[in-house]
Amino acid sequence: FPDAIKLVETNDDLAQLVNLVAHVMGEHLAKWNAGIELLVALKANPKFAPGTTTEGAIQRSIEVMKIGGGQSASLDGFNTSDQIRIMAVAGSALAERDAMKARDLLTKSLNLARTGLDQKDPANRALAITGNNLASVLEEKGNRSPAETELMILASQTARKYWEVAGTWLEVSRAEYRLAKTFLQAQDLDRAFRHAQICVELCMENKAGEMDAFYSYEALALVEKARGNQVGFAKASDYAKHYFGLLSPEDQKWCEESLKKL
């Protein structure tokens, strides 16, 4: 990051670096205090323009780092949209480390969002991303408690609801994929099947790329297998294998493990 700061040429470059610092130092490394130091230092950059969206991003990201590190956040000076974004991003950052604290942050942000968000409010996207990340982490967790399973479902439903507002059909189809995998893990096979079908339909109707088509049929195949429908499993697996064969060698590497599970 110190080397990256030297490459900044505009205030917009700085804004992108703010997001990267928050993501890496928080979600990936959990180096909360070091993240705050980096973010504060960005204000001293010659390209920093006070009063712009970059300053807002820095202030929000500092509060995210504080929450992640267990410090008391000060949100009173932020508007409702920013408060939602701070808590949602913090919840996403804590998904793998403290699911229950992430649940509290998600719940608080959802309660605030119920006061009404404009369709173009960036808080919608923050909620969608947080929901997806939380659900994805909890799907992979062994020995989930009933409370964690409930959180997984809430998170997945949150992603679907807010991608409808903040995304395109592609994000919605991926949210349906997430719901299919979530309900598969929750052993609610009827709902898992319904969402897997919707995912496939969205991909086919919109001529999705080969990777999204592969994953849509992968989800359907896994659900059919769990339901004991061998004919449906075989058909969905064949489609998944077909789209896998159309992928580039690089993309196939991403999908190999999922293919093996079929």
Short mmCIF file of all heavy atoms in Angstrom, two decimals, residues 13-66:
data_model
loop_
_atom_site.label_atom_id
_atom_site.label_comp_id
_atom_site.label_asym_id
_atom_site.label_seq_id
_atom_site.Cartn_x
_atom_site.Cartn_y
_atom_site.Cartn_z
N ASP A 13 -8.42 8.25 -8.13
CA ASP A 13 -7.51 7.13 -7.85
C ASP A 13 -7.48 6.85 -6.35
O ASP A 13 -7.46 5.70 -5.91
CB ASP A 13 -6.08 7.44 -8.32
CG ASP A 13 -5.94 7.48 -9.83
OD1 ASP A 13 -6.86 7.01 -10.51
OD2 ASP A 13 -4.91 7.99 -10.30
N LEU A 14 -7.45 7.93 -5.60
CA LEU A 14 -7.38 7.81 -4.15
C LEU A 14 -8.62 7.11 -3.60
O LEU A 14 -8.54 6.28 -2.69
CB LEU A 14 -7.22 9.20 -3.54
CG LEU A 14 -6.53 9.32 -2.17
CD1 LEU A 14 -5.13 8.74 -2.22
CD2 LEU A 14 -6.48 10.78 -1.75
N ALA A 15 -9.78 7.43 -4.17
CA ALA A 15 -11.04 6.81 -3.73
C ALA A 15 -11.00 5.30 -3.94
O ALA A 15 -11.45 4.53 -3.08
CB ALA A 15 -12.22 7.42 -4.48
N GLN A 16 -10.46 4.86 -5.07
CA GLN A 16 -10.36 3.43 -5.33
C GLN A 16 -9.41 2.76 -4.35
O GLN A 16 -9.64 1.63 -3.90
CB GLN A 16 -9.89 3.19 -6.77
CG GLN A 16 -10.89 3.66 -7.82
CD GLN A 16 -10.42 3.38 -9.22
OE1 GLN A 16 -10.08 2.25 -9.56
NE2 GLN A 16 -10.38 4.41 -10.05
N LEU A 17 -8.34 3.45 -4.02
CA LEU A 17 -7.37 2.91 -3.07
C LEU A 17 -7.98 2.80 -1.67
O LEU A 17 -7.68 1.84 -0.94
CB LEU A 17 -6.12 3.79 -3.04
CG LEU A 17 -4.90 3.24 -2.28
CD1 LEU A 17 -4.50 1.87 -2.81
CD2 LEU A 17 -3.74 4.21 -2.39
N VAL A 18 -8.83 3.75 -1.31
CA VAL A 18 -9.52 3.69 -0.02
C VAL A 18 -10.30 2.38 0.11
O VAL A 18 -10.20 1.67 1.11
CB VAL A 18 -10.49 4.89 0.15
CG1 VAL A 18 -11.39 4.68 1.37
CG2 VAL A 18 -9.71 6.18 0.29
N ASN A 19 -11.07 2.05 -0.93
CA ASN A 19 -11.88 0.83 -0.89
C ASN A 19 -11.00 -0.41 -0.80
O ASN A 19 -11.34 -1.38 -0.10
CB ASN A 19 -12.77 0.76 -2.13
CG ASN A 19 -13.80 1.87 -2.16
OD1 ASN A 19 -14.25 2.33 -1.12
ND2 ASN A 19 -14.19 2.30 -3.35
N LEU A 20 -9.88 -0.40 -1.50
CA LEU A 20 -8.98 -1.55 -1.48
C LEU A 20 -8.33 -1.73 -0.11
O LEU A 20 -8.22 -2.85 0.39
CB LEU A 20 -7.91 -1.39 -2.57
CG LEU A 20 -7.05 -2.61 -2.86
CD1 LEU A 20 -7.89 -3.78 -3.32
CD2 LEU A 20 -5.99 -2.27 -3.91
N VAL A 21 -7.91 -0.62 0.48
CA VAL A 21 -7.31 -0.67 1.81
C VAL A 21 -8.31 -1.26 2.82
O VAL A 21 -7.98 -2.17 3.60
CB VAL A 21 -6.87 0.73 2.28
CG1 VAL A 21 -6.54 0.72 3.77
CG2 VAL A 21 -5.64 1.19 1.49
N ALA A 22 -9.54 -0.76 2.78
CA ALA A 22 -10.56 -1.23 3.73
C ALA A 22 -10.84 -2.71 3.54
O ALA A 22 -10.97 -3.46 4.51
CB ALA A 22 -11.84 -0.41 3.56
N HIS A 23 -10.91 -3.15 2.31
CA HIS A 23 -11.23 -4.55 2.00
C HIS A 23 -10.11 -5.48 2.45
O HIS A 23 -10.35 -6.48 3.14
CB HIS A 23 -11.48 -4.70 0.51
CG HIS A 23 -11.80 -6.11 0.09
ND1 HIS A 23 -12.97 -6.74 0.47
CD2 HIS A 23 -11.11 -7.00 -0.65
CE1 HIS A 23 -12.98 -7.96 -0.03
NE2 HIS A 23 -11.85 -8.14 -0.71
N VAL A 24 -8.89 -5.14 2.08
CA VAL A 24 -7.75 -6.03 2.37
C VAL A 24 -7.40 -6.01 3.86
O VAL A 24 -7.25 -7.06 4.50
CB VAL A 24 -6.53 -5.65 1.51
CG1 VAL A 24 -5.31 -6.46 1.93
CG2 VAL A 24 -6.83 -5.89 0.04
N MET A 25 -7.26 -4.82 4.41
CA MET A 25 -6.84 -4.71 5.81
C MET A 25 -7.93 -5.18 6.77
O MET A 25 -7.65 -5.63 7.88
CB MET A 25 -6.44 -3.27 6.14
CG MET A 25 -5.30 -2.73 5.29
SD MET A 25 -3.79 -3.73 5.43
CE MET A 25 -3.24 -3.24 7.08
N GLY A 26 -9.18 -5.09 6.34
CA GLY A 26 -10.27 -5.54 7.18
C GLY A 26 -10.66 -6.98 6.93
O GLY A 26 -10.30 -7.87 7.70
N GLU A 27 -11.36 -7.21 5.83
CA GLU A 27 -11.93 -8.54 5.56
C GLU A 27 -10.88 -9.64 5.45
O GLU A 27 -11.07 -10.75 5.93
CB GLU A 27 -12.78 -8.48 4.29
CG GLU A 27 -13.62 -9.72 4.05
CD GLU A 27 -14.75 -9.47 3.06
OE1 GLU A 27 -15.19 -8.31 2.92
OE2 GLU A 27 -15.18 -10.44 2.43
N HIS A 28 -9.75 -9.34 4.79
CA HIS A 28 -8.76 -10.39 4.56
C HIS A 28 -7.74 -10.55 5.68
O HIS A 28 -7.38 -11.68 6.02
CB HIS A 28 -8.03 -10.13 3.23
CG HIS A 28 -8.87 -10.42 2.03
ND1 HIS A 28 -9.20 -11.69 1.65
CD2 HIS A 28 -9.48 -9.59 1.14
CE1 HIS A 28 -9.97 -11.65 0.56
NE2 HIS A 28 -10.15 -10.38 0.24
N LEU A 29 -7.26 -9.43 6.23
CA LEU A 29 -6.15 -9.51 7.17
C LEU A 29 -6.53 -9.23 8.62
O LEU A 29 -5.78 -9.58 9.53
CB LEU A 29 -5.04 -8.54 6.74
CG LEU A 29 -4.44 -8.77 5.35
CD1 LEU A 29 -3.36 -7.73 5.07
CD2 LEU A 29 -3.86 -10.18 5.23
N ALA A 30 -7.68 -8.59 8.83
CA ALA A 30 -8.13 -8.21 10.18
C ALA A 30 -7.07 -7.36 10.89
O ALA A 30 -6.90 -7.45 12.11
CB ALA A 30 -8.48 -9.44 11.02
N LYS A 31 -6.36 -6.53 10.14
CA LYS A 31 -5.39 -5.61 10.73
C LYS A 31 -6.07 -4.23 10.84
O LYS A 31 -5.78 -3.31 10.07
CB LYS A 31 -4.12 -5.56 9.89
CG LYS A 31 -3.35 -6.88 9.91
CD LYS A 31 -2.00 -6.76 9.23
CE LYS A 31 -1.20 -8.06 9.37
NZ LYS A 31 0.15 -7.96 8.77
N TRP A 32 -6.97 -4.17 11.80
CA TRP A 32 -7.86 -3.02 11.89
C TRP A 32 -7.12 -1.71 12.18
O TRP A 32 -7.35 -0.70 11.51
CB TRP A 32 -8.91 -3.28 12.96
CG TRP A 32 -9.55 -4.63 12.86
CD1 TRP A 32 -9.32 -5.71 13.67
CD2 TRP A 32 -10.49 -5.07 11.86
NE1 TRP A 32 -10.08 -6.79 13.25
CE2 TRP A 32 -10.79 -6.42 12.15
CE3 TRP A 32 -11.10 -4.46 10.77
CZ2 TRP A 32 -11.69 -7.17 11.39
CZ3 TRP A 32 -12.00 -5.18 10.01
CH2 TRP A 32 -12.29 -6.52 10.31
N ASN A 33 -6.23 -1.71 13.16
CA ASN A 33 -5.52 -0.48 13.53
C ASN A 33 -4.58 -0.03 12.42
O ASN A 33 -4.47 1.16 12.13
CB ASN A 33 -4.75 -0.68 14.84
CG ASN A 33 -5.66 -0.81 16.04
OD1 ASN A 33 -6.77 -0.26 16.04
ND2 ASN A 33 -5.22 -1.53 17.06
N ALA A 34 -3.90 -1.00 11.80
CA ALA A 34 -3.02 -0.65 10.68
C ALA A 34 -3.84 -0.09 9.52
O ALA A 34 -3.39 0.82 8.81
CB ALA A 34 -2.23 -1.88 10.24
N GLY A 35 -5.04 -0.61 9.36
CA GLY A 35 -5.93 -0.09 8.32
C GLY A 35 -6.32 1.35 8.58
O GLY A 35 -6.33 2.19 7.67
N ILE A 36 -6.62 1.65 9.84
CA ILE A 36 -6.97 3.03 10.20
C ILE A 36 -5.80 3.97 9.91
O ILE A 36 -5.98 5.07 9.36
CB ILE A 36 -7.38 3.11 11.68
CG1 ILE A 36 -8.72 2.40 11.90
CG2 ILE A 36 -7.47 4.56 12.14
CD1 ILE A 36 -9.12 2.27 13.35
N GLU A 37 -4.59 3.54 10.28
CA GLU A 37 -3.40 4.38 10.04
C GLU A 37 -3.22 4.67 8.55
O GLU A 37 -2.91 5.81 8.16
CB GLU A 37 -2.16 3.68 10.59
CG GLU A 37 -2.13 3.61 12.12
CD GLU A 37 -0.95 2.81 12.64
OE1 GLU A 37 -0.09 2.41 11.81
OE2 GLU A 37 -0.86 2.58 13.85
N LEU A 38 -3.42 3.66 7.72
CA LEU A 38 -3.29 3.86 6.27
C LEU A 38 -4.35 4.82 5.76
O LEU A 38 -4.07 5.69 4.93
CB LEU A 38 -3.41 2.51 5.55
CG LEU A 38 -2.16 1.64 5.48
CD1 LEU A 38 -2.51 0.25 4.97
CD2 LEU A 38 -1.11 2.29 4.58
N LEU A 39 -5.57 4.65 6.24
CA LEU A 39 -6.66 5.50 5.77
C LEU A 39 -6.46 6.95 6.18
O LEU A 39 -6.69 7.87 5.39
CB LEU A 39 -7.99 4.97 6.31
CG LEU A 39 -8.46 3.64 5.71
CD1 LEU A 39 -9.54 3.01 6.57
CD2 LEU A 39 -8.96 3.84 4.28
N VAL A 40 -6.03 7.16 7.42
CA VAL A 40 -5.75 8.53 7.89
C VAL A 40 -4.63 9.15 7.06
O VAL A 40 -4.70 10.34 6.69
CB VAL A 40 -5.38 8.52 9.39
CG1 VAL A 40 -4.87 9.89 9.82
CG2 VAL A 40 -6.59 8.13 10.23
N ALA A 41 -3.62 8.35 6.73
CA ALA A 41 -2.48 8.86 5.95
C ALA A 41 -2.90 9.30 4.55
O ALA A 41 -2.27 10.19 3.96
CB ALA A 41 -1.40 7.79 5.86
N LEU A 42 -3.97 8.68 4.02
CA LEU A 42 -4.41 9.05 2.67
C LEU A 42 -4.87 10.51 2.59
O LEU A 42 -4.82 11.13 1.54
CB LEU A 42 -5.54 8.13 2.21
CG LEU A 42 -5.17 6.66 1.98
CD1 LEU A 42 -6.38 5.86 1.52
CD2 LEU A 42 -4.04 6.53 0.95
N LYS A 43 -5.32 11.05 3.74
CA LYS A 43 -5.76 12.45 3.75
C LYS A 43 -4.59 13.41 3.53
O LYS A 43 -4.79 14.57 3.17
CB LYS A 43 -6.45 12.77 5.07
CG LYS A 43 -7.81 12.12 5.24
CD LYS A 43 -8.47 12.62 6.52
CE LYS A 43 -9.86 12.10 6.69
NZ LYS A 43 -10.52 12.64 7.90
N ALA A 44 -3.38 12.91 3.78
CA ALA A 44 -2.21 13.76 3.60
C ALA A 44 -1.68 13.70 2.18
O ALA A 44 -0.73 14.43 1.83
CB ALA A 44 -1.10 13.34 4.57
N ASN A 45 -2.28 12.88 1.35
CA ASN A 45 -1.84 12.77 -0.04
C ASN A 45 -2.11 14.07 -0.78
O ASN A 45 -3.18 14.67 -0.63
CB ASN A 45 -2.57 11.61 -0.72
CG ASN A 45 -1.99 11.29 -2.09
OD1 ASN A 45 -2.25 11.99 -3.05
ND2 ASN A 45 -1.22 10.22 -2.15
N PRO A 46 -1.17 14.54 -1.60
CA PRO A 46 -1.36 15.80 -2.34
C PRO A 46 -2.59 15.80 -3.25
O PRO A 46 -3.12 16.86 -3.57
CB PRO A 46 -0.07 15.92 -3.16
CG PRO A 46 0.93 15.08 -2.44
CD PRO A 46 0.17 13.96 -1.83
N LYS A 47 -3.03 14.62 -3.68
CA LYS A 47 -4.18 14.53 -4.58
C LYS A 47 -5.51 14.50 -3.84
O LYS A 47 -6.57 14.52 -4.46
CB LYS A 47 -4.06 13.28 -5.46
CG LYS A 47 -2.79 13.23 -6.28
CD LYS A 47 -2.69 14.40 -7.25
CE LYS A 47 -1.42 14.32 -8.10
NZ LYS A 47 -1.29 15.47 -9.02
N PHE A 48 -5.46 14.42 -2.51
CA PHE A 48 -6.69 14.36 -1.73
C PHE A 48 -7.46 15.67 -1.82
O PHE A 48 -6.89 16.75 -1.64
CB PHE A 48 -6.37 14.06 -0.27
CG PHE A 48 -7.56 14.15 0.65
CD1 PHE A 48 -8.57 13.21 0.57
CD2 PHE A 48 -7.67 15.18 1.57
CE1 PHE A 48 -9.67 13.29 1.43
CE2 PHE A 48 -8.76 15.28 2.42
CZ PHE A 48 -9.77 14.33 2.35
N ALA A 49 -8.76 15.57 -2.11
CA ALA A 49 -9.61 16.76 -2.23
C ALA A 49 -10.68 16.72 -1.14
O ALA A 49 -11.60 15.89 -1.20
CB ALA A 49 -10.28 16.80 -3.61
N PRO A 50 -10.56 17.57 -0.12
CA PRO A 50 -11.55 17.59 0.96
C PRO A 50 -12.95 17.92 0.42
O PRO A 50 -13.10 18.63 -0.59
CB PRO A 50 -11.05 18.71 1.88
CG PRO A 50 -9.59 18.85 1.54
CD PRO A 50 -9.48 18.54 0.09
N GLY A 51 -13.95 17.38 1.08
CA GLY A 51 -15.32 17.67 0.69
C GLY A 51 -15.84 16.86 -0.46
O GLY A 51 -16.95 17.09 -0.94
N THR A 52 -15.05 15.89 -0.94
CA THR A 52 -15.47 15.04 -2.06
C THR A 52 -15.91 13.67 -1.54
O THR A 52 -15.82 13.37 -0.35
CB THR A 52 -14.32 14.85 -3.06
OG1 THR A 52 -13.24 14.16 -2.40
CG2 THR A 52 -13.84 16.19 -3.57
N THR A 53 -16.37 12.81 -2.47
CA THR A 53 -16.77 11.46 -2.09
C THR A 53 -15.59 10.67 -1.52
O THR A 53 -15.80 9.73 -0.75
CB THR A 53 -17.35 10.71 -3.30
OG1 THR A 53 -16.40 10.72 -4.38
CG2 THR A 53 -18.65 11.36 -3.77
N THR A 54 -14.39 11.06 -1.90
CA THR A 54 -13.21 10.37 -1.37
C THR A 54 -13.10 10.57 0.14
O THR A 54 -12.82 9.63 0.89
CB THR A 54 -11.93 10.88 -2.06
OG1 THR A 54 -12.03 10.63 -3.46
CG2 THR A 54 -10.70 10.18 -1.50
N GLU A 55 -13.34 11.79 0.59
CA GLU A 55 -13.29 12.05 2.02
C GLU A 55 -14.36 11.25 2.74
O GLU A 55 -14.12 10.67 3.82
CB GLU A 55 -13.47 13.54 2.31
CG GLU A 55 -13.35 13.86 3.81
CD GLU A 55 -13.40 15.34 4.10
OE1 GLU A 55 -13.96 16.10 3.28
OE2 GLU A 55 -12.88 15.75 5.15
N GLY A 56 -15.55 11.18 2.15
CA GLY A 56 -16.62 10.39 2.75
C GLY A 56 -16.24 8.91 2.84
O GLY A 56 -16.52 8.25 3.85
N ALA A 57 -15.60 8.39 1.78
CA ALA A 57 -15.19 6.99 1.78
C ALA A 57 -14.16 6.71 2.87
O ALA A 57 -14.21 5.67 3.53
CB ALA A 57 -14.62 6.62 0.41
N ILE A 58 -13.24 7.65 3.05
CA ILE A 58 -12.23 7.48 4.10
C ILE A 58 -12.89 7.46 5.47
O ILE A 58 -12.60 6.59 6.31
CB ILE A 58 -11.18 8.61 4.03
CG1 ILE A 58 -10.31 8.46 2.78
CG2 ILE A 58 -10.30 8.60 5.28
CD1 ILE A 58 -9.35 9.61 2.55
N GLN A 59 -13.79 8.39 5.72
CA GLN A 59 -14.44 8.47 7.03
C GLN A 59 -15.27 7.21 7.32
O GLN A 59 -15.25 6.68 8.43
CB GLN A 59 -15.33 9.72 7.12
CG GLN A 59 -14.56 11.03 7.08
CD GLN A 59 -13.48 11.10 8.16
OE1 GLN A 59 -12.30 11.18 7.88
NE2 GLN A 59 -13.91 11.04 9.42
N ARG A 60 -16.00 6.73 6.31
CA ARG A 60 -16.79 5.51 6.50
C ARG A 60 -15.88 4.31 6.76
O ARG A 60 -16.15 3.48 7.65
CB ARG A 60 -17.66 5.23 5.27
CG ARG A 60 -18.86 6.14 5.11
CD ARG A 60 -19.82 5.60 4.06
NE ARG A 60 -19.17 5.37 2.78
CZ ARG A 60 -19.02 6.30 1.83
NH1 ARG A 60 -19.48 7.53 2.04
NH2 ARG A 60 -18.42 6.02 0.70
N SER A 61 -14.80 4.23 6.00
CA SER A 61 -13.90 3.08 6.13
C SER A 61 -13.20 3.07 7.48
O SER A 61 -12.95 2.00 8.05
CB SER A 61 -12.86 3.10 5.00
OG SER A 61 -13.49 2.93 3.74
N ILE A 62 -12.89 4.24 8.02
CA ILE A 62 -12.28 4.30 9.35
C ILE A 62 -13.24 3.74 10.40
O ILE A 62 -12.84 2.98 11.29
CB ILE A 62 -11.88 5.76 9.69
CG1 ILE A 62 -10.65 6.17 8.86
CG2 ILE A 62 -11.58 5.90 11.18
CD1 ILE A 62 -10.28 7.63 9.00
N GLU A 63 -14.52 4.08 10.28
CA GLU A 63 -15.51 3.56 11.23
C GLU A 63 -15.67 2.05 11.08
O GLU A 63 -15.87 1.33 12.07
CB GLU A 63 -16.86 4.26 11.05
CG GLU A 63 -16.84 5.75 11.34
CD GLU A 63 -16.27 6.09 12.71
OE1 GLU A 63 -16.61 5.38 13.69
OE2 GLU A 63 -15.49 7.05 12.82
N VAL A 64 -15.58 1.56 9.83
CA VAL A 64 -15.63 0.11 9.61
C VAL A 64 -14.47 -0.58 10.33
O VAL A 64 -14.64 -1.61 11.00
CB VAL A 64 -15.58 -0.22 8.10
CG1 VAL A 64 -15.35 -1.72 7.87
CG2 VAL A 64 -16.86 0.23 7.41
N MET A 65 -13.27 0.00 10.21
CA MET A 65 -12.10 -0.56 10.88
C MET A 65 -12.28 -0.54 12.40
O MET A 65 -11.89 -1.48 13.10
CB MET A 65 -10.85 0.24 10.51
CG MET A 65 -10.43 0.18 9.05
SD MET A 65 -9.84 -1.44 8.51
CE MET A 65 -11.22 -1.90 7.46
N LYS A 66 -12.87 0.54 12.91
CA LYS A 66 -13.09 0.63 14.36
C LYS A 66 -14.03 -0.48 14.83
O LYS A 66 -13.77 -1.15 15.84
CB LYS A 66 -13.68 1.99 14.72
CG LYS A 66 -12.70 3.15 14.65
CD LYS A 66 -13.40 4.44 15.07
CE LYS A 66 -12.47 5.64 15.00
NZ LYS A 66 -13.19 6.89 15.37
#
